[in-house]
Each structure stands twice: as structure tokens, then as C-alpha cells.
């Protein structure tokens, strides 16, 4: 929140340091104390070297580790074996700068680290996330003021608990993490004669025909489904392939919320209210909860007879409803599986200002109280069932969001949920992955593919594929390919020239932008482009290049299946 303001405050405070690791000289890097600029795709080598310096120079917090961590000796031994100079050489970074960063981290009173898509959609993404966490764990920066923390939540984003049986996709055998199938295996799960292949998809507010890797293969997969249903506000590329399209109102016409609320120690939740009336009539779009409720009812999984007693209890009052709902969920497990729809149908009509869609938050509020009673109490809502009701009422009645929990730092330890309450540093599978870095990757110096493309860079005027009308873009209307001046001169390219970008998957023509923030060998295309939109005459116009025309489904992380969109081998040719 308030990223620009917060980062400027850090940069201007002599008591704090800002360290940025980014292959691009970003706007954040401009104000950083240290900018480590690796070759794209080599973040694992940088972070391994950084962690190894902490061990080699005695910058770890041995006392904290003895009290709070397991697997310390194994990890220390692994990191002692890292050839720091060699790893810095692979990444193309100055070893002295890496050592300076390690010393600042090791000597700081607290360390906070943030990672995002640059490494999460890149090579070795799981290993990189692991190494990033080792950096702040080895220095004792968990559950301390200014350090890393585990936030509270109204709704948990993680499905799997520790100790659960691992799930795998039926065809590829990819790990299903927190209930999510890796996006890069979806096409493979469909385009097969395997008896357990995916045969139907319900796509809601997503555009996989554009947003998933290898667009031609993804379109083929969607076309091979026996049933494709799309719920969306726009007639997207995916919607045009669907058997059924169920339109929904825009985000301005309905209640909505995001569950990416990670503030600490005081966490906030915001139920956004509609600012315009939704269209009304027999053919008007329906809000998503209404669509889901009708589908469940049409399938025969829920009837009015199931809901009627709960609806009557809700009409009598929230206390009566709570008693009736809990009894129904305990006595009928098949209803418990449909709790969001039950809440929408039974409690939803009693909520003020047409907020029926927010009924599911009643259950979420009570669950928040049960999972974090102390934090809810400190936030001022009291205890027990009354606390859940007060929290729910506060969410409904506040147009600008409310504090839902007020945590203490030790609460992060309770959320760690490890069997012995300690952080386990040693992960054998990732230890083996770390050891594999000793072999220099052949993709770094492949003459057939001399460039690394970041396919889907976030820029000031891109918005995933949410905004289709290109008129809103005040800059970079064509979604230019950015490349450094040295590379542009060698290829004879200037701003506005056309350049062909070729990868193993496809080839496109883009507009060139010479940009001194890029390093030699690194080029980027923005996300959110390649969508068509009608012009004033009604003709369809495509704006920019769709980056997934150039990405491959097979290019994905070995553990989590996350795509390598930020590190795509490529070559460039000037178009004359």
C-alpha cells in the first residue's frame, strides 16, 4: 500500500537501506542504496551467493536460529559449499556489491523482503523463493518488528494444511498446490486421450485464450473441451470459443472485495460497494453469486426446501439464523459443501442495500473470530458469536474498509503450524536443486537465441487483460518492445521501427523502443496487449502484441509448474 510514498520514505531515511535485485534498472532501483542487476533468469545464483556470504562472513544470527529453527547445520553446510565468485560470475553481478548487501542485511536491526512476478514467473522460481526466505531467516528476521510476518486473513488463500496428502493433476502429474492446477499444464491435461483428462471448464473473469502460455495450443485445448462455459463482463477471446457465455455486471455495479489483504499488525478488509445501478430486466447480466446459485439449483444439489427453514430463521434475526445455520451444517454435510450458496439464498435477502452477494462474508467473519480470537478482540469486536456479528456488521456498514484484526508479533509463530513450532530450513528437494546450480546453464550463451525476452512486463499503462479499450493508454499505446541502446545500434533500430521477435513458440512483429533502463541482451514486451477492440466504425482493431504468442507451456518450474514468462530465449530481426 502507498508503495511510491513508502519507498521514498525509506530511501530518504539514513537509518534504513533499500536493496533492489532486478535485471532492469527500474524506477525503484533509481532510489535504492544498492541495485544488484543480474542477467535475466539468474536470480537463483544471486540469492545463493547472498546467502552464502551471510554464512561465510558469520553474519547469521546463531542464537535466534538455535531457539527457532531446525535443519540449520544442513543448510549451513550447503551454503558453505557455494562458490560465491563463480555464482556472481554466472549472474553477471559484482561480487563486492553482493557482499555489501549481505553485510547490510546481516547488520540490520530488521529486514523486510518482497518478491513478485519477476522471480515467480522465472527460472528456478521455487528455489528462488526458498533462498529469499533463507536470507531473512538466517538473520533472524521473522516475527520481529520491521521483519517478516504471517498476516491474518478473513478468508485463507491456502487450501492445503501441513500433513495433507499431496494432490497431483490426473494426466501430467503436476503438483496441485492450495487447490490450484499449474496454468502451464492445462492444455496438456486436455489434449490427450487419457481417461481422466479435463473435459469441461468453467472460466470466470479470466481469459486463458490470451493469458496462458502458447496461445495457439491453448486455443486448441479450449476447442477440444466437451463443454466450455464463460462468466465475464466482456466478450473475450475465450468467451468466443465458449458453448455458453453468462454475462455479469461490471465491477462498478456490484459488491466486490479482494482477499489480498496482508497488512500487519492491523489488517484491513474492504467490501467495495457498487457506485452505479446494475442493468435491470429479464436479459440483464446477473451477479456471479446468482449465477452460481442457479447452476447449483439446476443441478439438483440444492432446493428451496433446503433453504426455506434457514431463510425463515434469518428473517427472525441474526441470532436465530446462526443457531439454525450451524445446526444445518453439522447435520447435513452435503449442505456444508454448498455453504456459500446457502448463505446467499438464506441470509442474502435480509442484508441492506442489496448486499446479498456479501452474505458469504458472514461465515468468513465468524471463521476469522474462531481462527484469531485475540486479534479480533484487540481490534475491538469482543469475543465469541457476538464478535463475529460485530465484525460482519462493521464490514457491511463501512464504505472505506475496516480493521479486522490487531495482532501481536508472536502471532506469526502460531500461524507457522509446523509440528514442533520451529521453522524448518532444510528442504531436501530444494537442496538438490541448489546443488544443480554448479553447472553453468547452457541457455545463457546460446548463439541461436542471443536475447532473453521478458514476456509480460508490467508498465504504467497495462492492466493484465482487464481493460480492452486501448484509448485509456496515455503512453506506450503500441506496447513497444524495449531494448537497450547498444543492442538497438547493433541491429540498426531506432524508436518506432518495426522489429521481429522470434522464440521457439512463435514470431511476431513489434514496435521498437530504445530504452537505457534495459541491459544488453534483455528485451521486454508489456502484458495486457494483443486484445481486439471495436473502433468508431465497429471494425475490430488489435493493439500491440500478445506476449503468450511467444511463450511455451513446457517452460515451467519443476516444483510448482509456474511459467518462465520473464525468461524466454529469443532473437530479434529488424523489419525493413
Amino acid at each position: 500500500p502507498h508503495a511510491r510514498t513508502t519507498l521514498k520514505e525509506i530511501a530518504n531515511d539514513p537509518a534504513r537501506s533499500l536493496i533492489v535485485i532486478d535485471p532492469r534498472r527500474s524506477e525503484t532501483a533509481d532510489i535504492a542504496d544498492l541495485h544488484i542487476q543480474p542477467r535475466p533468469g539468474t536470480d537463483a545464483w544471486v540469492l545463493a551467493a547472498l546467502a552464502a556470504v551471510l554464512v561465510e562472513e558469520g553474519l547469521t544470527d546463531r542464537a535466534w536460529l538455535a531457539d527457532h529453527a531446525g535443519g540449520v547445520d544442513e543448510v549451513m553446510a550447503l551454503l558453505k559449499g557455494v562458490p560465491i565468485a563463480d555464482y556472481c560470475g554466472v549472474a553477471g553481478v559484482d561480487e563486492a556489491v553482493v557482499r555489501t548487501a549481505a553485510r547490510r542485511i546481516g547488520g540490520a536491526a530488521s529486514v523486510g523482503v518482497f518478491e513478485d512476478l519477476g522471480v515467480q514467473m522465472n527460472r528456478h522460481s521455487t528455489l528462488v523463493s526458498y533462498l529469499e526466505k533463507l536470507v531473512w531467516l538466517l538473520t533472524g528476521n521473522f516475527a520481529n518488528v520491521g521483519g517478516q510476518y504471517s498476516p491474518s486473513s478473513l478468508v485463507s488463500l491456502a487450501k492445503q494444511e501441513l500433513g495433507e496428502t499431496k494432490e497431483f493433476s490426473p494426466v501430467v502429474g503436476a503438483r496441485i498446490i492450495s487447490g490450484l492446477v499449474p496454468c502451464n499444464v492445462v492444455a496438456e491435461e486436455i489434449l490427450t486421450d487419457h481417461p481422466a483428462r479435463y473435459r469441461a471448464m468453467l472460466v470466470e473473469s479470466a481469459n486463458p485464450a490470451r493469458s496462458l502460455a502458447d496461445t495457439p495450443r491453448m486455443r486448441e485445448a479450449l476447442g477440444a473441451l466437451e463443454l466450455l462455459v464463460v462468466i465475464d463482463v466482456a466478450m473475450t477471446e475465450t468467451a468466443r470459443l465458449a458453448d455458453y457465455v453468462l454475462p455479469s455486471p461490471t465491477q462498478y455495479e456490484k459488491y466486490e472485495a479482494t482477499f489480498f489483504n496482508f497488512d500487519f499488525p492491523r489488517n484491513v478488509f474492504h467490501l467495495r460497494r457498487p457506485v452505479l445501478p446494475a442493468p435491470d430486466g429479464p436479459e440483464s447480466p446477473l451477479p456471479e453469486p446468482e449465477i452460481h446459485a442457479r447452476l447449483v439449483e439446476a443441478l439438483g444439489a440444492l432446493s428451496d426446501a433446503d433453504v426455506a427453514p434457514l431463510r425463515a430463521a434469518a428473517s427472525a434475526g441474526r441470532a436465530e439464523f446462526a443457531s439454525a445455520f450451524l445446526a444445518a451444517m453439522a447435520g447435513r454435510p452435503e449442505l456444508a459443501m454448498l455453504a456459500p450458496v446457502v448463505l446467499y439464498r438464506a441470509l442474502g435477502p435480509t442484508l441492506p442495500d442489496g448486499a446479498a452477494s456479501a452474505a458469504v462474508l458472514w461465515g468468513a467473519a465468524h471463521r476469522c473470530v474462531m481462527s484469531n480470537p485475540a486479534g479480533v478482540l484487540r481490534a475491538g469486536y469482543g469475543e465469541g458469536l457476538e464478535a463475529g456479528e460485530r465484525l460482519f456488521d462493521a464490514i457491511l456498514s463501512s464504505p472505506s474498509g475496516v480493521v479486522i484484526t490487531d495482532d501481536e508479533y508472536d502471532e506469526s509463530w502460531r500461524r507457522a503450524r509446523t509440528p514442533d513450532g520451529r521453522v524448518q530450513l532444510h528442504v531436501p528437494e530444494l537442496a538438490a536443486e541448489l546443488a544443480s546450480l554448479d553447472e553453468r546453464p547452457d541457455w545463457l550463451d546460446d548463439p541461436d537465441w542471443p536475447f532473453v525476452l521478458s514476456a509480460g512486463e508490467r508498465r504504467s499503462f497495462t492492466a493484465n487483460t482487464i481493460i480492452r479499450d486501448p484509448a485509456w493508454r496515455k503512453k506506450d499505446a503500441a506496447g513497444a518492445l524495449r531494448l537497450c541502446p547498444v543492442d538497438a545500434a547493433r541491429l540498426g533500430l531506432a524508436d518506432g521501427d518495426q522489429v521481429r521477435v522470434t522464440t521457439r513458440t512463435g514470431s511476431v512483429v513489434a514496435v521498437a523502443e530504445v530504452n537505457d533502463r534495459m541491459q544488453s541482451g534483455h528485451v521486454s514486451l508489456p502484458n495486457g496487449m494483443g486484445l481486439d477492440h471495436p473502433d468508431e466504425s465497429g471494425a475490430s482493431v488489435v493493439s500491440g502484441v500478445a506476449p503468450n504468442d511467444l511463450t511455451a507451456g513446457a517452460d515451467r518450474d519443476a516444483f510448482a509448474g509456474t511459467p518462465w514468462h520473464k525468461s524466454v530465449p529469443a532473437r530479434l530481426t529488424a523489419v525493413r
Side-chain angles (χ1 to χ4, degrees), residues 497-520:
D497 287 349
Q498 289 193 317
V499 55
R500 180 169 294 280
V501 187
T502 302
T503 69
R504 292 185 178 94
T505 301
S507 183
V508 300
V509 174
V511 174
E513 177 190 312
V514 183
N515 190 299
D516 63 3
R517 292 186 176 277
M518 307 298 293
Q519 61 174 289
S520 182

PDB file of all heavy atoms in Angstrom, residues 497-520:
ATOM      1  N   ASP A 497      10.734   1.920 -35.029  1.00  0.00           N
ATOM      2  CA  ASP A 497      10.997   0.935 -36.077  1.00  0.00           C
ATOM      3  C   ASP A 497      10.292  -0.378 -35.762  1.00  0.00           C
ATOM      4  O   ASP A 497      10.000  -0.696 -34.606  1.00  0.00           O
ATOM      5  CB  ASP A 497      12.498   0.667 -36.206  1.00  0.00           C
ATOM      6  CG  ASP A 497      13.242   1.809 -36.859  1.00  0.00           C
ATOM      7  OD1 ASP A 497      12.583   2.714 -37.394  1.00  0.00           O
ATOM      8  OD2 ASP A 497      14.490   1.804 -36.828  1.00  0.00           O
ATOM      9  N   GLN A 498      10.056  -1.157 -36.805  1.00  0.00           N
ATOM     10  CA  GLN A 498       9.466  -2.472 -36.594  1.00  0.00           C
ATOM     11  C   GLN A 498      10.561  -3.511 -36.398  1.00  0.00           C
ATOM     12  O   GLN A 498      11.605  -3.475 -37.059  1.00  0.00           O
ATOM     13  CB  GLN A 498       8.593  -2.860 -37.787  1.00  0.00           C
ATOM     14  CG  GLN A 498       7.296  -2.059 -37.881  1.00  0.00           C
ATOM     15  CD  GLN A 498       6.330  -2.666 -38.868  1.00  0.00           C
ATOM     16  OE1 GLN A 498       6.711  -3.081 -39.949  1.00  0.00           O
ATOM     17  NE2 GLN A 498       5.059  -2.737 -38.483  1.00  0.00           N
ATOM     18  N   VAL A 499      10.318  -4.434 -35.469  1.00  0.00           N
ATOM     19  CA  VAL A 499      11.296  -5.474 -35.157  1.00  0.00           C
ATOM     20  C   VAL A 499      10.558  -6.804 -35.021  1.00  0.00           C
ATOM     21  O   VAL A 499       9.497  -6.878 -34.399  1.00  0.00           O
ATOM     22  CB  VAL A 499      12.086  -5.130 -33.873  1.00  0.00           C
ATOM     23  CG1 VAL A 499      11.161  -4.874 -32.694  1.00  0.00           C
ATOM     24  CG2 VAL A 499      13.086  -6.222 -33.541  1.00  0.00           C
ATOM     25  N   ARG A 500      11.122  -7.823 -35.617  1.00  0.00           N
ATOM     26  CA  ARG A 500      10.543  -9.159 -35.493  1.00  0.00           C
ATOM     27  C   ARG A 500      11.154  -9.853 -34.274  1.00  0.00           C
ATOM     28  O   ARG A 500      12.378  -9.911 -34.132  1.00  0.00           O
ATOM     29  CB  ARG A 500      10.785  -9.986 -36.749  1.00  0.00           C
ATOM     30  CG  ARG A 500      10.197 -11.407 -36.652  1.00  0.00           C
ATOM     31  CD  ARG A 500      10.192 -12.128 -37.968  1.00  0.00           C
ATOM     32  NE  ARG A 500       9.278 -11.490 -38.920  1.00  0.00           N
ATOM     33  CZ  ARG A 500       7.965 -11.670 -38.932  1.00  0.00           C
ATOM     34  NH1 ARG A 500       7.386 -12.463 -38.014  1.00  0.00           N
ATOM     35  NH2 ARG A 500       7.211 -11.062 -39.830  1.00  0.00           N
ATOM     36  N   VAL A 501      10.282 -10.379 -33.420  1.00  0.00           N
ATOM     37  CA  VAL A 501      10.698 -11.128 -32.236  1.00  0.00           C
ATOM     38  C   VAL A 501      10.338 -12.587 -32.466  1.00  0.00           C
ATOM     39  O   VAL A 501       9.170 -12.909 -32.716  1.00  0.00           O
ATOM     40  CB  VAL A 501       9.983 -10.610 -30.963  1.00  0.00           C
ATOM     41  CG1 VAL A 501      10.551 -11.293 -29.729  1.00  0.00           C
ATOM     42  CG2 VAL A 501      10.086  -9.102 -30.855  1.00  0.00           C
ATOM     43  N   THR A 502      11.333 -13.461 -32.378  1.00  0.00           N
ATOM     44  CA  THR A 502      11.111 -14.881 -32.630  1.00  0.00           C
ATOM     45  C   THR A 502      11.548 -15.686 -31.423  1.00  0.00           C
ATOM     46  O   THR A 502      12.628 -15.447 -30.860  1.00  0.00           O
ATOM     47  CB  THR A 502      11.899 -15.349 -33.868  1.00  0.00           C
ATOM     48  OG1 THR A 502      11.498 -14.566 -35.001  1.00  0.00           O
ATOM     49  CG2 THR A 502      11.642 -16.820 -34.164  1.00  0.00           C
ATOM     50  N   THR A 503      10.698 -16.623 -30.997  1.00  0.00           N
ATOM     51  CA  THR A 503      11.041 -17.582 -29.953  1.00  0.00           C
ATOM     52  C   THR A 503      10.789 -18.984 -30.499  1.00  0.00           C
ATOM     53  O   THR A 503      10.355 -19.150 -31.637  1.00  0.00           O
ATOM     54  CB  THR A 503      10.188 -17.354 -28.690  1.00  0.00           C
ATOM     55  OG1 THR A 503       8.829 -17.715 -28.976  1.00  0.00           O
ATOM     56  CG2 THR A 503      10.245 -15.903 -28.234  1.00  0.00           C
ATOM     57  N   ARG A 504      11.024 -19.990 -29.672  1.00  0.00           N
ATOM     58  CA  ARG A 504      10.777 -21.361 -30.117  1.00  0.00           C
ATOM     59  C   ARG A 504       9.285 -21.611 -30.387  1.00  0.00           C
ATOM     60  O   ARG A 504       8.924 -22.557 -31.083  1.00  0.00           O
ATOM     61  CB  ARG A 504      11.297 -22.356 -29.074  1.00  0.00           C
ATOM     62  CG  ARG A 504      12.812 -22.368 -28.941  1.00  0.00           C
ATOM     63  CD  ARG A 504      13.275 -23.467 -27.981  1.00  0.00           C
ATOM     64  NE  ARG A 504      14.722 -23.523 -27.866  1.00  0.00           N
ATOM     65  CZ  ARG A 504      15.440 -22.903 -26.938  1.00  0.00           C
ATOM     66  NH1 ARG A 504      14.807 -22.158 -26.035  1.00  0.00           N
ATOM     67  NH2 ARG A 504      16.742 -23.009 -26.900  1.00  0.00           N
ATOM     68  N   THR A 505       8.439 -20.772 -29.826  1.00  0.00           N
ATOM     69  CA  THR A 505       6.993 -20.968 -29.952  1.00  0.00           C
ATOM     70  C   THR A 505       6.393 -20.205 -31.122  1.00  0.00           C
ATOM     71  O   THR A 505       5.483 -20.699 -31.791  1.00  0.00           O
ATOM     72  CB  THR A 505       6.282 -20.547 -28.652  1.00  0.00           C
ATOM     73  OG1 THR A 505       6.798 -21.330 -27.575  1.00  0.00           O
ATOM     74  CG2 THR A 505       4.783 -20.751 -28.735  1.00  0.00           C
ATOM     75  N   GLY A 506       6.858 -18.988 -31.381  1.00  0.00           N
ATOM     76  CA  GLY A 506       6.220 -18.174 -32.402  1.00  0.00           C
ATOM     77  C   GLY A 506       7.061 -16.987 -32.804  1.00  0.00           C
ATOM     78  O   GLY A 506       8.194 -16.797 -32.335  1.00  0.00           O
ATOM     79  N   SER A 507       6.488 -16.164 -33.677  1.00  0.00           N
ATOM     80  CA  SER A 507       7.181 -14.993 -34.192  1.00  0.00           C
ATOM     81  C   SER A 507       6.162 -13.880 -34.385  1.00  0.00           C
ATOM     82  O   SER A 507       5.068 -14.108 -34.917  1.00  0.00           O
ATOM     83  CB  SER A 507       7.870 -15.327 -35.519  1.00  0.00           C
ATOM     84  OG  SER A 507       8.614 -14.222 -35.994  1.00  0.00           O
ATOM     85  N   VAL A 508       6.507 -12.662 -33.939  1.00  0.00           N
ATOM     86  CA  VAL A 508       5.610 -11.518 -34.051  1.00  0.00           C
ATOM     87  C   VAL A 508       6.422 -10.298 -34.463  1.00  0.00           C
ATOM     88  O   VAL A 508       7.653 -10.274 -34.342  1.00  0.00           O
ATOM     89  CB  VAL A 508       4.892 -11.223 -32.709  1.00  0.00           C
ATOM     90  CG1 VAL A 508       4.056 -12.406 -32.254  1.00  0.00           C
ATOM     91  CG2 VAL A 508       5.898 -10.816 -31.628  1.00  0.00           C
ATOM     92  N   VAL A 509       5.721  -9.273 -34.933  1.00  0.00           N
ATOM     93  CA  VAL A 509       6.362  -8.002 -35.260  1.00  0.00           C
ATOM     94  C   VAL A 509       5.877  -6.959 -34.263  1.00  0.00           C
ATOM     95  O   VAL A 509       4.663  -6.794 -34.064  1.00  0.00           O
ATOM     96  CB  VAL A 509       6.048  -7.566 -36.702  1.00  0.00           C
ATOM     97  CG1 VAL A 509       6.600  -6.167 -36.973  1.00  0.00           C
ATOM     98  CG2 VAL A 509       6.632  -8.564 -37.698  1.00  0.00           C
ATOM     99  N   ALA A 510       6.825  -6.280 -33.636  1.00  0.00           N
ATOM    100  CA  ALA A 510       6.507  -5.267 -32.636  1.00  0.00           C
ATOM    101  C   ALA A 510       7.164  -3.949 -33.008  1.00  0.00           C
ATOM    102  O   ALA A 510       7.999  -3.873 -33.921  1.00  0.00           O
ATOM    103  CB  ALA A 510       6.986  -5.725 -31.257  1.00  0.00           C
ATOM    104  N   VAL A 511       6.782  -2.900 -32.291  1.00  0.00           N
ATOM    105  CA  VAL A 511       7.397  -1.589 -32.444  1.00  0.00           C
ATOM    106  C   VAL A 511       8.546  -1.476 -31.445  1.00  0.00           C
ATOM    107  O   VAL A 511       8.403  -1.856 -30.276  1.00  0.00           O
ATOM    108  CB  VAL A 511       6.365  -0.473 -32.200  1.00  0.00           C
ATOM    109  CG1 VAL A 511       7.029   0.894 -32.217  1.00  0.00           C
ATOM    110  CG2 VAL A 511       5.259  -0.541 -33.243  1.00  0.00           C
ATOM    111  N   ALA A 512       9.682  -0.984 -31.892  1.00  0.00           N
ATOM    112  CA  ALA A 512      10.863  -0.895 -31.031  1.00  0.00           C
ATOM    113  C   ALA A 512      10.856   0.387 -30.207  1.00  0.00           C
ATOM    114  O   ALA A 512      10.406   1.439 -30.667  1.00  0.00           O
ATOM    115  CB  ALA A 512      12.135  -0.955 -31.872  1.00  0.00           C
ATOM    116  N   GLU A 513      11.352   0.265 -28.971  1.00  0.00           N
ATOM    117  CA  GLU A 513      11.601   1.432 -28.116  1.00  0.00           C
ATOM    118  C   GLU A 513      12.999   1.293 -27.530  1.00  0.00           C
ATOM    119  O   GLU A 513      13.275   0.338 -26.797  1.00  0.00           O
ATOM    120  CB  GLU A 513      10.584   1.526 -26.985  1.00  0.00           C
ATOM    121  CG  GLU A 513      10.853   2.692 -26.029  1.00  0.00           C
ATOM    122  CD  GLU A 513      10.005   2.647 -24.766  1.00  0.00           C
ATOM    123  OE1 GLU A 513       8.785   2.447 -24.885  1.00  0.00           O
ATOM    124  OE2 GLU A 513      10.586   2.778 -23.660  1.00  0.00           O
ATOM    125  N   VAL A 514      13.873   2.204 -27.842  1.00  0.00           N
ATOM    126  CA  VAL A 514      15.233   2.182 -27.302  1.00  0.00           C
ATOM    127  C   VAL A 514      15.176   2.752 -25.887  1.00  0.00           C
ATOM    128  O   VAL A 514      14.750   3.892 -25.683  1.00  0.00           O
ATOM    129  CB  VAL A 514      16.195   2.990 -28.191  1.00  0.00           C
ATOM    130  CG1 VAL A 514      17.620   2.902 -27.647  1.00  0.00           C
ATOM    131  CG2 VAL A 514      16.146   2.490 -29.634  1.00  0.00           C
ATOM    132  N   ASN A 515      15.607   1.944 -24.918  1.00  0.00           N
ATOM    133  CA  ASN A 515      15.380   2.287 -23.518  1.00  0.00           C
ATOM    134  C   ASN A 515      16.635   1.963 -22.717  1.00  0.00           C
ATOM    135  O   ASN A 515      17.056   0.810 -22.638  1.00  0.00           O
ATOM    136  CB  ASN A 515      14.176   1.489 -22.986  1.00  0.00           C
ATOM    137  CG  ASN A 515      13.710   1.945 -21.638  1.00  0.00           C
ATOM    138  OD1 ASN A 515      14.455   1.881 -20.671  1.00  0.00           O
ATOM    139  ND2 ASN A 515      12.460   2.399 -21.559  1.00  0.00           N
ATOM    140  N   ASP A 516      17.229   2.998 -22.102  1.00  0.00           N
ATOM    141  CA  ASP A 516      18.506   2.791 -21.406  1.00  0.00           C
ATOM    142  C   ASP A 516      18.336   2.116 -20.046  1.00  0.00           C
ATOM    143  O   ASP A 516      19.320   1.883 -19.336  1.00  0.00           O
ATOM    144  CB  ASP A 516      19.273   4.108 -21.249  1.00  0.00           C
ATOM    145  CG  ASP A 516      18.552   5.136 -20.385  1.00  0.00           C
ATOM    146  OD1 ASP A 516      17.462   4.823 -19.838  1.00  0.00           O
ATOM    147  OD2 ASP A 516      19.056   6.266 -20.253  1.00  0.00           O
ATOM    148  N   ARG A 517      17.114   1.762 -19.668  1.00  0.00           N
ATOM    149  CA  ARG A 517      16.903   1.006 -18.434  1.00  0.00           C
ATOM    150  C   ARG A 517      17.136  -0.490 -18.638  1.00  0.00           C
ATOM    151  O   ARG A 517      17.233  -1.238 -17.678  1.00  0.00           O
ATOM    152  CB  ARG A 517      15.486   1.232 -17.894  1.00  0.00           C
ATOM    153  CG  ARG A 517      15.251   2.651 -17.390  1.00  0.00           C
ATOM    154  CD  ARG A 517      13.899   2.805 -16.727  1.00  0.00           C
ATOM    155  NE  ARG A 517      13.729   4.129 -16.183  1.00  0.00           N
ATOM    156  CZ  ARG A 517      14.179   4.528 -14.992  1.00  0.00           C
ATOM    157  NH1 ARG A 517      14.850   3.664 -14.230  1.00  0.00           N
ATOM    158  NH2 ARG A 517      13.978   5.751 -14.564  1.00  0.00           N
ATOM    159  N   MET A 518      17.178  -0.915 -19.888  1.00  0.00           N
ATOM    160  CA  MET A 518      17.401  -2.329 -20.199  1.00  0.00           C
ATOM    161  C   MET A 518      18.894  -2.596 -20.321  1.00  0.00           C
ATOM    162  O   MET A 518      19.664  -1.756 -20.806  1.00  0.00           O
ATOM    163  CB  MET A 518      16.712  -2.706 -21.510  1.00  0.00           C
ATOM    164  CG  MET A 518      15.240  -2.364 -21.594  1.00  0.00           C
ATOM    165  SD  MET A 518      14.218  -3.218 -20.375  1.00  0.00           S
ATOM    166  CE  MET A 518      14.367  -4.914 -20.944  1.00  0.00           C
ATOM    167  N   GLN A 519      19.337  -3.781 -19.883  1.00  0.00           N
ATOM    168  CA  GLN A 519      20.719  -4.174 -20.080  1.00  0.00           C
ATOM    169  C   GLN A 519      20.856  -4.922 -21.394  1.00  0.00           C
ATOM    170  O   GLN A 519      19.868  -5.419 -21.962  1.00  0.00           O
ATOM    171  CB  GLN A 519      21.222  -5.037 -18.924  1.00  0.00           C
ATOM    172  CG  GLN A 519      20.488  -6.345 -18.723  1.00  0.00           C
ATOM    173  CD  GLN A 519      21.132  -7.214 -17.663  1.00  0.00           C
ATOM    174  OE1 GLN A 519      22.213  -7.765 -17.865  1.00  0.00           O
ATOM    175  NE2 GLN A 519      20.467  -7.314 -16.509  1.00  0.00           N
ATOM    176  N   SER A 520      22.062  -5.002 -21.898  1.00  0.00           N
ATOM    177  CA  SER A 520      22.296  -5.668 -23.179  1.00  0.00           C
ATOM    178  C   SER A 520      21.864  -7.128 -23.106  1.00  0.00           C
ATOM    179  O   SER A 520      22.156  -7.832 -22.136  1.00  0.00           O
ATOM    180  CB  SER A 520      23.772  -5.581 -23.561  1.00  0.00           C
ATOM    181  OG  SER A 520      23.991  -6.179 -24.820  1.00  0.00           O
TER     182      SER A 520
END
